[in-house]
Amino acid sequence: MKRMLLSALILALAAPVAAQFDDPGDPTHPAMDAARHAVINFLELEQEQVDDWDVLWADHRAAEEPLRQQIADVQVMIDDLFAAGVPDPADLGLLVIERHDLGEALIDVHVIYVDAFQALLDEEQTHRLREIRIAERIQRWIPAFKAFELVKR
């Protein structure tokens, strides 16, 4: 009984973590191209900054890919353990720790990319990026304020 409860708990914790590491998509897709141009236009990036960002993005993606594959492989092993019945807690625990460590490495790759991107920006561009980050954090609250006509509908 304890094993089953432990297994269910670990699965419940592992599933949301898996969702955090979704691939951001194909950079050649028209939506990604439009998003790239939106960033360039909003931040008013100079061509040299765009060129440097392109290199950063490519390096970032290249560093992420093997980690994403390893995470997927470990997740398959975790799923297989559950599919086979009641998994051994020790085996499951080791895989969950490995999955977590790979996720942390993926986060580190992302943080390095974001820091390097921000280093490309001048003071005004950094301010604009900061505004976007604030807007992203408060976005979910806007519908409530609109409902009570505290902001423009």
Side-chain angles (χ1 to χ4, degrees):
M1 180 66 167
K2 284 184 181 181
R3 279 186 166 183
M4 183 142 330
L5 182 59
L6 177 64
S7 298
L9 178 63
I10 290 173
L11 181 60
L13 293 173
V17 172
Q20 294 177 24
F21 303 108
D22 291 336
D23 188 356
D26 178 7
T28 62
H29 190 279
M32 286 293 288
D33 188 51
R36 179 178 175 275
H37 286 290
V39 170
I40 291 167
N41 292 332
F42 182 79
L43 295 177
E44 298 179 0
L45 297 178
E46 300 292 331
Q47 187 57 50
E48 183 179 333
Q49 291 173 306
V50 172
D51 295 341
D52 290 346
W53 179 30
D54 288 343
V55 171
L56 282 175
W57 178 251
D59 291 349
H60 168 246
R61 295 296 299 202
E64 280 184 334
E65 188 54 38
L67 291 170
R68 287 184 186 284
Q69 186 56 54
Q70 291 172 355
I71 288 169
D73 293 345
V74 171
Q75 189 62 49
V76 166
M77 290 189 282
I78 290 170
D79 294 344
D80 289 348
L81 280 178
F82 279 106
V86 178
D88 176 53
D91 293 341
L92 183 60
L94 291 173
L95 287 172
V96 169
I97 290 169
E98 182 179 354
R99 171 87 174 60
H100 177 268
D101 290 346
L102 290 166
E104 291 294 316
L106 188 60
I107 290 170
D108 291 344
V109 166
H110 179 72
V111 167
I112 290 167
Y113 161 71
V114 170
D115 288 348
F117 176 79
Q118 191 163 332
L120 295 174
L121 306 178
D122 64 27
E123 188 176 324
E124 176 61 28
Q125 292 166 329
T126 300
H127 177 74
R128 288 178 185 205
L129 178 60
R130 203 171 303 123
E131 288 175 337
I132 289 293
R133 290 175 177 162
I134 291 168
E136 191 275 331
R137 281 196 315 265
I138 65 170
Q139 182 178 351
R140 68 184 180 129
W141 302 104
I142 293 172
F145 283 81
K146 281 185 177 184
F148 287 95
E149 299 177 12
L150 297 170
V151 296
K152 192 187 295 185
R153 291 193 280 164

